[in-house]
Amino acid sequence: NAGVTQTPKFQVLKTGQSMTLQCAQDMNHNSMYWYRQDPGMGLRLIYYSASEGTTDKGEVPNGYNVSRLNKREFSLRLESAAPSQTSVYFCASSEHRGSSTDTQYFGPGTRLTVL
Amino acid sequence: AQTVTQSQPEMSVQEAETVTLSCTYDTSESDYYLFWYKQPPSRQMILVIRQEAYKQQNATENRFSVNFQKAAKSFSLKISDSQLGDAAMYFCAPLGGSNYKLTFGKGTLLTVNP
């Protein structure tokens, strides 16, 4: 099992460009998450999907959109990238959000730079 | 809202020795979970250990164990027989609340000296 995979690993954008970060998990998890990590900080939740067909805002959702494509895949879109969105982005998944099986497993991260 | 404090920005330990990383948190919940994650230079976030708040017994995973003091809201991580591969940033993260949020501390950078 690959666990949680993310593409791309690195990306450089110019201000105003758009892009989509892809995430997939093969653990048959119901819940998926997108986080960002800024220097000297822990992770902050951008959006999550508790189950297929649902998405909700996290702590820092502004400037982002998400799509839960199916049970395996959860994408994060930046419509008009800004330098403040320069960060490392992590996708995570857990069996069931809000339950005793809500242990989150993380992907390898995407380092995004917006010039 | 949950807050997490990791009071040691950096720690160092000699190989084969024991080190303890501190974490305190603030929550009004009675039922929650606590995690330690490790982030090596590869950047991958790796689960180290998990503790259920309703359990009095401290969790252990091989060389990793926790000292969970619920009343004091303290959740420290002990690494025994430290190895070079343990060098990483360690994050404490409680999970709970009405929105079941996983809240990360700012991390402790652990260096292991040969």
Side-chain angles (χ1 to χ4, degrees):
Chain A
N1 287 351
V4 180
T5 57
Q6 292 181 234
T7 55
K9 286 187 168 51
F10 301 92
Q11 184 71 50
V12 178
L13 293 177
K14 294 181 180 177
T15 297
Q17 288 185 318
S18 62
M19 80 159 294
T20 300
L21 281 64
Q22 306 287 354
C23 174
Q25 53 89 12
D26 63 2
M27 296 178 282
N28 201 34
H29 284 172
N30 291 284
S31 304
M32 298 185 73
Y33 312 81
W34 277 105
Y35 290 88
R36 61 178 287 173
Q37 183 181 31
D38 299 306
M41 305 280 288
L43 276 65
R44 292 183 294 168
L45 183 64
I46 304 171
Y47 269 94
Y48 67 94
S49 170
S51 60
E52 188 177 354
T54 70
T55 60
D56 285 287
K57 294 179 180 179
E59 187 181 352
V60 288
N62 290 347
Y64 305 96
N65 286 300
V66 291
S67 295
R68 183 73 183 266
L69 305 171
N70 48 55
K71 190 172 185 179
R72 289 187 64 247
E73 299 173 288
F74 188 38
S75 64
L76 177 72
R77 183 161 178 84
L78 286 70
E79 290 291 349
S80 179
S84 60
Q85 293 178 305
T86 294
S87 190
V88 180
Y89 291 84
F90 288 94
C91 178
S93 71
S94 69
E95 193 169 333
H96 279 288
R97 179 176 173 84
S99 74
S100 62
T101 60
D102 193 11
T103 297
Q104 295 184 28
Y105 297 91
F106 286 82
T110 295
R111 182 177 293 278
L112 175 66
T113 302
V114 183
L115 303 176
Chain B
Q2 294 179 120
T3 59
V4 185
T5 302
Q6 294 183 247
S7 59
Q8 307 148 316
E10 297 184 25
M11 292 279 286
S12 64
V13 64
Q14 291 297 125
E15 198 175 0
E17 294 190 346
T18 296
V19 65
T20 299
L21 309 183
S22 301
C23 173
T24 57
Y25 58 94
D26 189 17
T27 180
S28 57
E29 304 300 319
S30 58
D31 187 20
Y32 52 92
Y33 303 88
L34 296 154
F35 301 87
W36 278 97
Y37 284 91
K38 164 185 175 181
Q39 187 176 38
S42 66
R43 202 176 61 213
Q44 175 86 46
M45 291 290 286
I46 301 166
L47 176 68
V48 175
I49 200 164
R50 162 188 154 126
Q51 172 79 44
E52 290 88 349
Y54 64 85
K55 288 187 177 179
Q56 292 187 335
Q57 186 172 6
N58 290 325
T60 62
E61 284 288 343
N62 302 315
R63 297 181 296 106
F64 298 87
S65 62
V66 299
N67 183 2
F68 174 48
Q69 304 285 334
K70 189 172 184 178
K73 296 180 181 175
S74 170
F75 182 58
S76 60
L77 175 70
K78 185 171 88 170
I79 307 173
S80 303
D81 187 24
S82 296
Q83 300 176 0
L84 295 177
D86 295 334
M89 184 73 85
Y90 285 82
F91 293 97
C92 172
L95 171 70
S98 58
N99 61 356
Y100 258 89
K101 180 182 173 184
L102 186 64
T103 303
F104 286 83
K106 292 189 175 181
T108 295
L109 181 63
L110 178 67
T111 302
V112 181
N113 300 310

